[in-house]
Amino acid sequence: MSRSIKLRKGLDIQLLGVAEKTITPLESQQYAIKPTDFPGVYPKLLVKAGERVMAGTPLFFDKYRESIRVTSPVSGVVTEIVRGAKRVIQEIRIEADSVQQYVEFKRMEPEYYDREVIVALMLESGLWPALLQRPYAIVADYDKIPKAIVISGFDSAPLAPDYDILVHGHGPEFQMGLNVIGKLTPGTVHLNLRHGTPASKVFTNSKNVQINYFEGPHPAGTPGIQIHHLDPVNKNEVVWYLSPCAVLRIGRLFMSGHYDDSRLVALTGSEVLRTGYYKVTGGLRVDRLLANNLREGAARVISGNVLTGTKISSDGYLGFYDNQLTVIPEGNHSEFLGWIKPGLAKYSSTHAFLSRLLAKKNYRLDTNMHGGRRSFVVTGEMEKVFPMDILPLYLIKSVLVKDIDQMENLGIYEVGPEDFALCEFTNTSKEELQKIIREGLDFLRKEMN
Amino acid sequence: MKPVKKLFDSVRPHFEKGGKLSRFYYTFEAFESFAFVPPRVTQTGSHIRDAIDMKRTMIFVVIALLPAALFGMWNIGYQHFLALGQESTLVANFWYGFLKWLPLQVVVFAVGMTIEFIFADIRKHEVAEGFIVSAFLIPLILPPDIPLWMVALATAFAVLIGKEAFGGSGMNIFNPALLARVFLFFAYPAHISGDKVWISGLPDAMSGATPLGLAAAGDISLMPSAIDRFLGFIPGSIGETSTLAILLGAAFLLITGIASYRIMFSVFAGGFLMALVFNLWGANAYMQIPPWEQLIMGGFAFGAVFMATDPVSAAQTNTGKWIYGLLIGMFAVLIRVFNPAYPEGIMMAILLMNVFAPLIDHYVVQANIKRRLKRASVTAK
């Protein structure tokens, strides 16, 4: 039964640099997989520098859940394993062949196969990590059975790509992907669309799913919020979620037998000269997208959106889960008596700046913190942008003191770091809330298992 | 602003690690970040941040205090010359009051900031801005002629015992400014209660009772007119007399969203409600005054707007804030009507509810937890 849910809390941050609706194919020879992209996965390498791989060859697996493996998006040669502090693997770099070769997986009509066979194929092909789960906001546990699976059919984050463009013309793969996902849960597969705007036929015509409508500002389009309102996660329950782009990739695997990570990525942000959508393969080095395409001055390149994305360098690599690349100015400048200025050009969710009166749209925001870190003083500001029946400040404090009972009581199983992104943005005390929640979830997972 | 920037740049090496004055780094940082919003950029999580910060939040409260403070300065002079029976001008009134206020402010700032800087340097954290608000509040809730050494003592008590002992800004249980006042109230009652202290330079033979004092003594009929009390042409603590000026500040705080409207409205509602109940009871003259007049007497409005809304010592949940404010309003009127020893009920009421705020929040949090458990047991069936 379709549901329609209206959210009042949240915040739409209007930024400059929405992607133009043009699609440009782009190829590169340089790719990398970043193990740090995969939450809850502890990588153990399967390849060495110099080895040949094909698209679909496993690169590493998870030390604690050994069937979870991540495979190469392209065929070519592993050129380098980049390690960071404490020898943590940062990047597995691959130089791609000019003609792509694919590992041949079994083609399947999901209707005729058991759940175990389907799970095994997804694990083997390296598409499994596209499935995420609550609790813990990590790559899904393959030996658990989720009570529901949630797919958000729109992205409400600042400058987010239009999912309609991402799936346009891919109806068969999308439906195939949904059929596969339907086999993974005895419960409902939810496909959530934005209320009031016409969605792509690919979404509205899809079958074997329950289509729901969400209304309201960001984070209405994030799966964590949608799960909370559709089928909240209680203790010992599991819900999985994935993006429509992942659904496409799964559909493609089952239709063609290939691990084909081609996807559209939206190039956005105020510092980009020519925004737009680019047809690329996952793990692409972004320098070709950005070359001669940025404004003067220091810039921050983000794989993902400005609230939850990952900072990368201008020759860094696109993240596994990302369909968006954002470039904004760095904010490493000081400002004389900045705290008392009327603030005509500043953006704030509060009413303490005159810019509020201008009804200005589309800001060029930089990465400045706009202040120093303080204790939590201001109360009630998180609640304004946190559309869950959870007390965010109390949950964060219980995480900070590592009180497991209280964390459970206050709803830790329902949240992921990204749910706190807006709280972090508006936070007057400039705390790093997403980091706090991530550490809390990791701590809890370790204690519970 | 190049020269200022240059100055900071030139002395910074002395305060940084290895410098002669490195132990005072956070004092230096306080001055530097006061002059310049630091160039620090986001490292993890959200790459952009809201332009609001603690400095702006706190400074906005100080701005909201300005109408009450300016009027208060004028009123000190006005009351003074009125009591002496001398003619005076607007400027002379203001100047007289300004000179009474300034030393208080200087002493509070010097004492409090010194302690804040020392603790920041010892604890190695940035200097929090919370005290800026407390520092402007303290003189406004004192009588004009209070000896400066007492003010210094009270400020030190409030900052040390009231705040730093609990871990600094954001951790305190009591509102520090009120703590300073209540310290004086119990340690040196002769200087902060009665009918002699509220008018600066009052001749010994005269009485300068506040409306609250008159009401507590049962002399309701001697009270100044309601309009005088609303506008503030009455003796009292420096910043508390003019309800109008306080409401101007309240409007600023509500429009900018700095203070909680939930607390502010519910304090007034609570006071009104309690006064209404007393009206029905009507055992004495104090109980019979119209409810809205209770709200313009004494420090009620000042407390509701600037003290009860202190986010650290107040309830922190949205539901809790309604309950917290309502109880403050009710207790304030209850205390002032029933206990003539404490004519200033609002001070006691806020401090009392500061203690109970965590308890109120506890029950709001428990309700949230129960809702979640109930949901789980429903799905388990």
Side-chain angles (χ1 to χ4, degrees):
Chain A
M1 191 189 67
S2 170
R3 290 178 61 187
S4 191
I5 291 162
K6 186 170 184 178
L7 305 178
R8 289 173 200 285
K9 294 172 173 183
L11 176 69
D12 282 324
I13 305 168
Q14 308 282 354
L15 297 182
L16 271 176
V18 181
E20 292 284 332
K21 297 193 170 171
T22 56
I23 299 178
T24 319
L26 188 96
E27 282 182 9
S28 169
Q29 286 199 301
Q30 307 301 329
Y31 293 84
I33 285 290
K34 298 179 282 185
T36 47
D37 282 349
F38 303 89
V41 170
Y42 296 84
K44 262 226 166 318
L45 276 178
L46 290 167
V47 292
K48 291 195 200 70
E51 256 178 64
R52 279 204 61 80
V53 293
M54 291 198 279
T57 305
L59 300 175
F60 64 88
F61 66 97
D62 182 6
K63 201 155 77 177
Y64 301 109
R65 298 179 289 176
E66 294 186 354
S67 296
I68 293 180
R69 36 160 77 174
V70 172
T71 53
S72 173
V74 292
S75 69
V77 179
V78 177
T79 52
E80 198 183 354
I81 313 280
V82 182
R83 289 176 186 269
K86 294 185 188 165
R87 294 190 44 77
V88 171
I89 307 163
Q90 301 286 324
E91 289 166 359
I92 300 162
R93 293 187 184 166
I94 301 154
E95 193 171 306
D97 300 332
S98 45
V99 180
Q100 286 295 301
Q101 290 175 300
Y102 296 91
V103 176
E104 295 293 334
F105 296 106
K106 191 173 162 54
R107 279 193 283 181
M108 284 184 193
E109 273 294 328
E111 290 97 285
Y112 307 116
Y113 289 87
D114 285 343
R115 183 178 189 270
E116 293 78 60
V117 182
I118 288 170
V119 169
L121 176 63
M122 287 183 63
L123 285 164
E124 189 195 355
S125 65
L127 263 175
W128 187 264
L131 287 168
L132 298 163
Q133 71 162 48
R134 299 286 160 100
Y136 308 124
I138 53 170
V139 170
D141 267 329
Y142 45 81
D143 49 10
K144 293 261 167 60
I145 295 185
K147 64 169 180 169
I149 297 180
V150 170
I151 303 160
S152 177
F154 67 103
D155 189 346
S156 53
L159 300 177
D162 183 348
Y163 278 2
D164 287 0
I165 297 178
L166 261 48
V167 298
H168 179 76
H170 295 292
E173 295 109 289
F174 192 75
Q175 186 57 53
M176 174 64 99
L178 291 179
N179 295 346
V180 173
I181 288 156
K183 297 284 274 190
L184 299 178
T185 173
T188 315
V189 178
H190 297 272
L191 175 62
N192 302 319
L193 302 176
R194 195 190 271 290
H195 175 88
T197 48
S200 165
K201 288 245 163 20
V202 174
F203 288 130
T204 51
N205 290 345
S206 44
K207 293 178 185 65
N208 300 338
V209 290
Q210 173 181 320
I211 296 182
N212 309 300
Y213 292 91
F214 276 78
E215 186 178 357
H218 185 59
T222 55
I225 303 298
Q226 295 174 351
I227 294 169
H228 177 84
H229 290 278
L230 292 169
D231 199 353
V233 179
N234 300 301
K235 196 177 179 181
N236 299 326
E237 292 178 343
V238 182
V239 171
W240 290 353
Y241 54 101
L242 70 168
S243 74
C245 185
V247 177
L248 284 182
R249 284 152 71 190
I250 292 169
R252 232 176 275 146
L253 172 75
F254 280 75
M255 285 168 94
S256 68
H258 290 166
Y259 178 84
D260 176 359
D261 193 1
S262 60
R263 56 172 94 173
L264 286 183
V265 56
L267 180 57
T268 64
S270 61
E271 301 313 284
V272 179
L273 296 173
R274 294 179 307 280
T275 60
Y277 290 81
Y278 291 83
K279 191 171 189 308
V280 302
T281 304
L284 162 101
R285 190 159 89 184
V286 300
D287 54 343
R288 293 204 51 199
L289 286 169
L290 305 178
N292 303 321
N293 199 10
L294 295 186
R295 272 176 224 288
E296 292 279 310
R300 159 103 34 124
V301 183
I302 302 158
S303 177
N305 66 57
V306 288
L307 290 174
T308 58
T310 314
K311 175 182 174 180
I312 58 175
S313 66
S314 56
D315 58 356
Y317 300 85
L318 187 67
F320 182 82
Y321 297 96
D322 297 329
N323 286 94
Q324 184 182 6
L325 201 63
T326 312
V327 189
I328 56 171
E330 278 289 2
N332 48 352
H333 52 76
S334 46
E335 189 188 2
F336 185 64
L337 297 183
W339 43 270
I340 191 67
K341 286 189 177 164
L344 282 166
K346 286 191 181 158
Y347 180 80
S348 173
S349 62
T350 69
H351 297 245
F353 293 83
L354 270 182
S355 58
R356 195 84 195 178
L357 301 176
L358 296 178
K360 182 182 160 178
K361 274 189 178 165
N362 301 342
Y363 287 79
R364 179 172 178 258
L365 300 189
D366 61 34
T367 62
N368 194 288
M369 292 287 285
H370 300 296
R373 211 195 66 80
R374 296 290 180 269
S375 311
F376 290 115
V377 168
V378 180
T379 57
E381 61 178 4
M382 292 188 196
E383 282 83 349
K384 286 183 193 162
V385 294
F386 193 79
M388 292 195 190
D389 184 21
I390 283 177
L391 298 163
L393 184 60
Y394 280 85
L395 179 56
I396 284 167
K397 286 184 175 174
S398 71
V399 169
L400 286 172
V401 298
K402 297 201 160 88
D403 180 343
I404 291 180
D405 284 345
Q406 191 72 346
M407 280 154 83
E408 284 187 341
N409 283 336
L410 291 172
I412 187 79
Y413 294 124
E414 297 187 49
V415 300
E418 65 265 29
D419 299 332
F420 286 83
L422 276 173
C423 296
E424 183 173 75
F425 170 78
T426 57
N427 189 245
T428 307
S429 299
K430 311 293 177 189
E431 282 282 4
E432 297 183 326
L433 304 182
Q434 295 190 73
K435 192 174 164 196
I436 292 170
I437 292 294
R438 173 42 73 202
E439 285 169 3
L441 290 169
D442 288 349
F443 165 77
L444 192 65
R445 187 177 167 218
K446 217 166 154 186
E447 294 291 313
M448 292 315 216
N449 295 311
Chain B
M1 284 306 126
K2 283 261 166 65
V4 187
K5 181 104 191 113
K6 261 191 190 150
L7 178 73
F8 278 113
D9 286 344
S10 67
V11 297
R12 187 182 301 109
H14 297 299
F15 291 97
E16 280 173 343
K17 231 178 183 171
K20 283 181 291 201
L21 301 168
S22 62
R23 78 177 63 159
F24 301 117
Y25 172 75
Y26 290 98
T27 300
F28 168 77
E29 198 279 342
F31 282 102
E32 191 186 26
S33 67
F34 179 81
F36 294 95
V37 174
R40 217 165 300 144
V41 296
T42 53
Q43 295 299 335
T44 70
S46 179
H47 298 267
I48 52 173
R49 294 297 191 116
D50 199 298
I52 192 80
D53 73 338
M54 207 60 81
K55 280 199 176 57
R56 195 174 183 93
T57 308
M58 295 300 176
I59 289 297
F60 270 39
V61 182
V62 174
I63 294 174
L65 280 170
L66 283 179
L70 293 175
F71 178 86
M73 290 175 213
W74 173 84
N75 192 45
I76 298 170
Y78 172 73
Q79 295 295 336
H80 168 76
F81 292 115
L82 192 69
L84 295 183
Q86 293 173 0
E87 290 278 314
S88 177
T89 62
L90 181 105
V91 176
N93 284 341
F94 181 79
W95 186 245
Y96 182 87
F98 178 75
L99 291 181
K100 283 281 159 193
W101 166 84
L102 189 65
L104 291 176
Q105 189 65 74
V106 169
V107 166
V108 171
F109 239 111
V111 172
M113 273 307 184
T114 309
I115 298 173
E116 287 272 339
F117 284 151
I118 291 171
F119 271 87
D121 284 326
I122 294 174
R123 290 207 178 115
K124 307 215 177 302
H125 64 65
E126 291 179 15
V127 178
E129 290 81 4
F131 180 71
I132 297 177
V133 173
S134 306
F136 279 96
L137 283 171
I138 291 173
L140 297 185
I141 51 176
L142 296 178
D145 278 346
I146 191 149
L148 292 178
W149 65 269
M150 286 184 192
V151 178
L153 208 60
T155 307
F157 175 82
V159 177
L160 275 173
I161 308 294
K163 206 153 92 173
E164 297 304 339
F166 290 102
S169 253
M171 321 283 182
N172 44 305
I173 292 175
F174 297 105
N175 181 318
L178 271 184
L179 214 55
R181 191 181 200 275
V182 84
F183 175 84
L184 292 171
F185 185 79
F186 286 112
Y188 308 102
H191 292 273
I192 195 165
S193 50
D195 59 2
K196 294 292 178 198
V197 302
W198 305 108
I199 295 173
S200 174
L202 186 74
D204 278 347
M206 282 178 71
S207 162
T210 63
L212 269 185
L214 292 170
D219 299 327
I220 301 285
S221 56
L222 296 179
M223 278 204 299
S225 70
I227 188 75
D228 275 3
R229 275 177 284 152
F230 178 71
L231 295 176
F233 304 127
I234 48 170
S237 295
I238 297 174
E240 65 161 28
T241 59
S242 171
T243 309
L244 177 69
I246 292 162
L247 287 181
L248 284 178
F252 181 76
L253 287 178
L254 290 178
I255 290 168
T256 53
I258 298 288
S260 164
Y261 69 88
R262 293 182 176 89
I263 295 177
M264 223 186 269
F265 285 132
S266 58
V267 175
F268 282 112
F272 191 86
L273 213 69
M274 201 69 207
L276 211 60
V277 170
F278 285 150
N279 272 187
L280 297 177
W281 189 348
N284 60 34
Y286 204 169
M287 285 188 181
Q288 285 165 2
I289 67 172
W292 61 272
E293 284 195 25
Q294 288 278 12
L295 309 184
I296 60 172
M297 278 163 66
F300 192 95
F302 194 86
V305 172
F306 296 112
M307 299 288 190
T309 54
D310 165 22
V312 176
S313 54
Q316 306 194 341
T317 54
N318 285 342
T319 318
K321 283 173 185 167
W322 289 112
I323 301 167
Y324 169 83
L326 208 66
L327 289 175
I328 286 179
M330 292 173 77
F331 275 121
V333 173
L334 184 81
I335 293 170
R336 68 157 67 139
V337 170
F338 272 102
N339 193 340
Y342 300 139
E344 194 46 289
I346 188 82
M347 171 177 77
M348 294 302 177
I350 295 175
L351 286 171
L352 181 71
M353 292 316 294
N354 281 174
V355 178
F356 282 106
L359 186 70
I360 297 172
D361 281 336
H362 172 78
Y363 283 108
V364 176
V365 171
Q366 287 307 314
N368 178 280
I369 291 172
K370 278 200 188 115
R371 255 194 323 272
R372 191 165 301 105
L373 286 177
K374 202 171 160 195
R375 189 186 72 191
S377 57
V378 167
T379 47
K381 269 172 198 169

